[in-house]
Amino acid sequence: MPDDVEPRDLDKVARGELKTLSKENADWVAKHLVMAGRLIDEDPEEAHKHALSAGRRAGRISVVRETIAITAYQVGDYALTLRELRTYRRISGRDDQLPLMVDSERGLGRPERALELGRSVDVSTLDAQVRVSLAIAMSGARLDLGQPQAALGELEIPQLDRTKAFSYSPALFAAYGTVLEDLGRPDEGEKWLELADRAEDALAALENGGADGETVEIVEEDVDFVDDLPVTLDESDESDESDESDEADVDGDENVPEEGPDGDAVGVVDPETEPHDDSDEKHDEEHGQRDETADPETTPSLADDVDGHRG
C-alpha cells in the first residue's frame, strides 16, 4: 500500500457506507478501494486484487461488492462479475449496474439470457445514463444473435437526439453509426460516427473551459459538476446563432431521426462489487483480520467463478 494513500481519498458517499465498520477496519478497506480506483485502467489485475482484499473485510458493503464486480469485468471474469452484481443489487436495491450484468452475460456467450435480463426491469425507472448503457448492451446482444435491424431498434431511444449531446451521447451515437454500417448504410453510419466525435470534442471543451474555434456559453451558474453544465457550441460554418436557452437547438429538429443527421452543429447539455476468498482465511486469522460484515451464505468463493471469458 503506497504511503500517500489515505482513507479520505475515497469518495464521500462510499466512505459513508463504511461507517458500519470499526474505524480501523473502515480505513483499511477504504485504502484498498482507493487503490482499486487508481489502478483500474492501467493495471486492472492489481486493481482486482485490491478489491478482493477489501472484500475479505467488508463483504456486506455494497460499494465493495460493486468494486469487485467492476474489476472482475475488467480482467474478463464475467461469471464473477455477475455473481458480485447480483449480491450488490440485493444489498443496495439498485439497478444501476444492470448494463454491466447484461454485457457479462454476453461475455459468457449467452446473448438470449442477456436480453431476458435487460427486459426484466422497467427502463423508465432508470436514470438516462443507465438507460443508454443498457440500450447499447442490448444492441450488442442482438448483434451477437445476428439481428442487426433489431440491434438498431434497441438504440432508437429518446436519448438518441442529434440536436444536443449529453455525457452519454458519444457512445450512443457511435453505437448507432456502427450498426448502420453493419446494415449496409455506410453514409448514414459515417454521419453518426462523425457526430459522436463532435459531441465528444464539445464535452471535452466544456470540461476544459472552452477550446479554440468554439464558443462555450455557461447557462447555469454555481454548479460543481461538469455533468450539470449546459452549454451551446457554435461552429464557424453555421450562419444561425444558437438560442439563449438551457438546451441548444442547432437545426430545428426536435425528434430522433430515422436516418443520418443533416446538420453539423451540436448543442451540448452534459447532465447527468466481495467474494470470500478462502485462500486468504488463514492469512487473515494469523493477522487477526476478520470480515465484520461477512455472511457465509452470500460470501462466495472466487475460485468457482472463472467460467469463461469473452471470445
Side-chain angles (χ1 to χ4, degrees), residues 15 18 26 31 34 44-45 68 78 90-91 116 128 140 160 162 231 238 251 255 263 265-266 274 292-293 302:
R15 290 203 314 270
L18 304 182
K31 288 182 178 181
V34 170
E45 292 280 357
I68 296 173
Y78 305 117
R90 183 167 64 249
I91 296 173
E116 182 180 356
L160 186 71
R162 67 183 176 81
V231 301
E238 290 294 317
D251 50 19
N255 299 317
V266 182
E274 127 193 272
E292 298 181 2
T293 63
L302 175 61

Side-chain angles (χ1 to χ4, degrees), residues 20 27 31 114 246 279 295:
T20 58
D27 288 350
K31 288 182 178 181
D246 286 351
S279 65
D295 182 342

Side-chain angles (χ1 to χ4, degrees), residues 129 132 165-172 199-200 203 226-227 268-272:
Q129 177 72 62
V132 169
F166 296 80
S167 58
Y168 50 73
S169 297
L172 181 58
E200 188 170 8
L203 293 168
V226 169
D227 281 350
V268 181
V269 185
D270 187 12
E272 3 202 37

Side-chain angles (χ1 to χ4, degrees), residues 12 25 77 91 112 125 197 206 233 238 258 261 299:
K12 184 177 180 180
N25 197 28
D77 194 339
I91 296 173
E112 296 91 349
T125 65
D197 290 338
L206 168 62
L233 178 65
E238 290 294 317
E258 296 181 357
T299 307

Side-chain angles (χ1 to χ4, degrees), residues 7 76 93-94 107 127 171 206 222 234 236 239 273 293 306:
R94 296 169 60 98
D127 291 341
L206 168 62
D222 298 329
D234 295 327
S236 57
S239 60
T273 58
T293 63
V306 186

Side-chain angles (χ1 to χ4, degrees), residues 218-289:
I218 304 299
V219 178
E220 190 171 331
E221 299 179 348
D222 298 329
V223 179
D224 295 330
F225 301 101
V226 169
D227 281 350
D228 293 326
L229 293 174
V231 301
T232 298
L233 178 65
D234 295 327
E235 290 294 329
S236 57
D237 59 348
E238 290 294 317
S239 60
D240 295 335
E241 296 184 352
S242 59
D243 294 335
E244 295 180 356
S245 63
D246 286 351
E247 297 179 348
D249 187 345
V250 176
D251 50 19
D253 186 353
E254 293 292 334
N255 299 317
V256 179
E258 296 181 357
E259 300 183 352
D262 357 84
D264 292 329
V266 182
V268 181
V269 185
D270 187 12
E272 3 202 37
T273 58
E274 127 193 272
H276 184 72
D277 189 342
D278 296 332
S279 65
D280 290 297
E281 287 184 346
K282 182 176 179 180
H283 173 79
D284 289 348
E285 291 172 0
E286 290 174 353
H287 291 77
Q289 298 173 348

